[in-house]
Amino acid sequence: MYADDETVRTILRESGDTWAVVGLSANEDRAAFGVARVLQRFGKRVVPVHPKAEPVHGERGYATLADIPFPVDVVDVFVNSRLAGPVADEAVAIGAKAVWFQLGVIDPEAYARTRAAGLAMVMDRCPAIEIPRLS
């Protein structure tokens, strides 16, 4: 409903290779940890964004999107739906090309704002599922 296969393909293949993963920590039991590893295997640079700003998968972590000192192509969001809208707004503010809300992360108003700002967006889907399905 909030992204067709063509939008998903475009984000995965053409939006760029630097993905900020909001909610990614060194906790191996969290879904973000495994999804980030899949993104890396697919050739993406994964930048952890988490209040602890800890390194994950060999990449330095940052506390916020605004702290990242280089361009980010896609912002992948692993936070609670009620916190996701402000993250999407930050993605727009830093000049990201796309926003990806993970499975269960749903905010229709944030989706509308992000699309209105000209960014591609996917909501309630997982790139670790979509990569093998659409490759």
Side-chain angles (χ1 to χ4, degrees), residues 102-125:
Q102 283 293 328
L103 288 172
V105 180
I106 300 169
D107 183 335
E109 292 81 17
Y111 181 88
R113 286 193 313 272
T114 303
R115 294 291 300 130
L119 280 69
M121 185 162 179
V122 171
M123 187 163 62
D124 194 27
R125 289 172 87 167

Side-chain angles (χ1 to χ4, degrees), residues 1-43:
M1 176 176 182
Y2 287 102
D4 56 32
D5 286 349
E6 192 56 38
T7 301
V8 171
R9 275 190 200 93
T10 298
I11 292 173
L12 291 173
R13 296 181 181 165
E14 300 171 22
S15 291
D17 292 331
T18 301
W19 284 51
V21 181
V22 179
L24 174 58
S25 71
N27 183 344
E28 296 180 23
D29 295 329
R30 303 294 303 224
F33 191 89
V35 171
R37 181 63 81 199
V38 170
L39 288 168
Q40 283 184 320
R41 282 197 301 266
F42 190 64

Side-chain angles (χ1 to χ4, degrees), residues 22-93:
V22 179
L24 174 58
S25 71
N27 183 344
E28 296 180 23
D29 295 329
R30 303 294 303 224
F33 191 89
V35 171
R37 181 63 81 199
V38 170
L39 288 168
Q40 283 184 320
R41 282 197 301 266
F42 190 64
K44 305 302 182 187
R45 178 182 185 189
V46 172
V47 181
V49 179
H50 189 277
K52 294 181 183 177
E54 59 193 346
V56 183
H57 299 313
E59 288 285 345
R60 176 183 172 190
Y62 297 89
T64 69
L65 290 172
D67 293 338
I68 301 172
F70 48 82
V72 169
D73 300 310
V74 180
V75 175
D76 190 4
V77 182
F78 276 92
V79 300
N80 186 290
S81 294
R82 63 184 163 72
L83 303 173
V87 175
D89 296 337
E90 289 178 51
V92 171

